[in-house]
Amino acid sequence: MASWRRILILGLQAAIAVAALAYVTTQIELRRAGAQLLALDATVVGVVVALTAVEFLTRFSMWYALLRGLDGVSFATSARVDLVVKFINHVLPSKASGHSVAPLVVRHYTGVDWTDAVSVAGVNTGLYATLYGIVSAVGVGIFVTRLPDGVAAVVVLSTAMYLGAGAVVLLAGRRLEVAGRLFGRLEHLARMLPRIGDRVASLVAALPTFTADSAATFRTLSSRPAVVVPYVLGWVGTLAVVPGMRVLVLLNALGDGFAPGALLPLVLVMAYSVTILPLTPGGIGVSEASATLVLVALGVAPEVAGVVVLLDRSFGVYLPALMGWVPAARIDLSSVLS
């Protein structure tokens, strides 16, 4: 029964992803878009590649900020941890699920004990979700009235889930006794939601759990400016600044634009926030559709918005996930996940 249910869920997720991607492609004149991309100036291509390279460095620096205090952990090891977690995010149902196995990946590559692995991964999840929720909430506050009602509702829901997840994880790491009771109540309340209750409850269940020792390590780690400040800078570069610059360069190169360009990072964080919803692995399809709808609502031509979003997701999400397959293939992933 459980296997049939899993197959049904995977089939439904695949159908949602295909339908969402099909929507995006219907907005694009493929022949015209192909001609435009082939005609892009070499300088534009070089800038996009350079920005993507910077994005990889800032992405790896987030884990390095958390792991560098451990003995013998190099930047290269931090990069492997990031890439494998990114790969797993696109194998399991949602980003929260991917974050839930991060302690196993950290322990595999660093050899630290379980307490430190859970603490490091927990700080990553708590800070990541909190920052995402805050930045997305700012974007919602500025742009929500310009979005279609359905898109606005989904973006507000996903933003609230990021804020809630971040708050719960940070609370769990700092106030263990309070978090235990809160987790139980949240999971119970989630199951009461119509239709999506079980899926939301699974997100709650995927949040990190802490022992007294790991909570103490979490409090120490999350209180160090030398850890938190580099992590925040890496997050801002990876999730906001670099994608915003890349999308702005592509929009201008394809004959469109966005004004004011300085707010584009907020728009993208808000638009991509739907990745937290357990609809498709890694938000495949759903994120592209959401971002396309948001950009179109804010004045970008549909055929340009779709192309740019697909390119941005390819460079910023699918490329590192694909690269993560290489280190993931070298470990016994089934034993790690079990």
Side-chain angles (χ1 to χ4, degrees):
M1 182 65 179
S3 61
W4 278 107
R5 182 181 179 186
R6 181 177 300 177
I7 292 172
L8 181 62
I9 291 174
L10 289 175
L12 180 60
Q13 290 177 330
I16 293 173
V18 170
L21 286 173
Y23 163 77
V24 176
T25 57
T26 59
Q27 305 301 303
I28 302 171
E29 297 178 26
L30 295 177
R31 185 172 299 178
R32 178 172 177 266
Q36 286 180 312
L37 292 177
L38 290 174
L40 283 178
D41 189 271
T43 303
V44 174
V45 176
V47 170
V48 170
V49 171
L51 287 171
T52 303
V54 171
E55 185 179 39
F56 271 93
L57 293 177
T58 58
R59 179 189 306 282
F60 300 155
S61 72
M62 293 164 62
W63 276 106
Y64 185 60
L66 302 174
L67 294 171
R68 65 181 176 176
L70 304 177
D71 293 335
V73 177
S74 64
F75 191 83
T77 299
S78 303
R80 294 188 190 96
V81 170
D82 177 83
L83 291 174
V84 171
V85 171
K86 194 72 174 176
F87 171 75
I88 294 174
N89 278 340
H90 289 78
V91 177
L92 297 180
S94 74
K95 185 173 289 188
S97 300
H99 278 275
S100 71
V101 301
L104 305 172
V105 178
V106 169
R107 192 178 187 195
H108 173 84
Y109 278 108
T110 65
V112 299
D113 61 29
W114 186 245
T115 295
D116 287 338
V118 170
S119 300
V120 169
V123 172
N124 174 65
T125 300
L127 290 178
Y128 184 101
T130 300
L131 289 168
Y132 212 116
I134 291 172
V135 175
S136 183
V138 174
V140 168
I142 296 173
F143 296 106
V144 70
T145 57
R146 297 171 59 184
L147 303 179
D149 291 342
V151 176
V154 172
V155 168
V156 169
L157 172 63
S158 56
T159 299
M161 291 179 68
Y162 264 118
L163 287 171
V168 168
V169 173
L170 292 178
L171 177 62
R174 306 187 72 86
R175 295 290 302 276
L176 185 62
E177 69 287 351
V178 176
R181 296 192 298 270
L182 181 59
F183 271 33
R185 291 174 183 173
L186 285 176
E187 190 168 356
H188 175 72
L189 290 173
R191 293 191 185 280
M192 296 172 63
L193 295 173
R195 297 189 180 184
I196 63 171
D198 288 343
R199 304 300 297 153
V200 176
S202 70
L203 283 176
V204 176
L207 294 174
T209 55
F210 300 89
T211 64
D213 289 340
S214 60
T217 305
F218 181 104
R219 285 192 294 271
T220 301
L221 194 61
S222 61
S223 300
R224 292 178 181 170
V227 171
V228 176
V229 172
Y231 184 94
V232 171
L233 293 176
W235 189 99
V236 170
T238 304
L239 279 301
V241 174
V242 173
M245 294 175 65
R246 180 169 55 216
V247 167
L248 187 60
V249 167
L250 289 170
L251 286 174
N252 290 331
L254 294 175
D256 212 318
F258 187 90
L263 295 182
L264 192 52
L266 296 176
V267 172
L268 293 177
V269 172
M270 174 185 67
Y272 289 145
S273 65
V274 296
T275 53
I276 195 174
L277 300 175
L279 299 174
T280 62
I284 297 173
V286 176
S287 294
E288 286 83 0
S290 170
T292 300
L293 287 168
V294 168
L295 288 178
V296 170
L298 298 179
V300 178
E303 62 275 13
V304 175
V307 172
V308 170
V309 167
L310 287 173
L311 287 173
D312 183 56
R313 288 278 291 175
S314 296
F315 285 117
V317 178
Y318 300 131
L319 179 59
L322 182 62
M323 292 175 62
W325 175 82
V326 177
R330 296 175 180 172
I331 65 178
D332 187 353
L333 197 58
S334 61
S335 66
V336 170
L337 293 178
S338 64

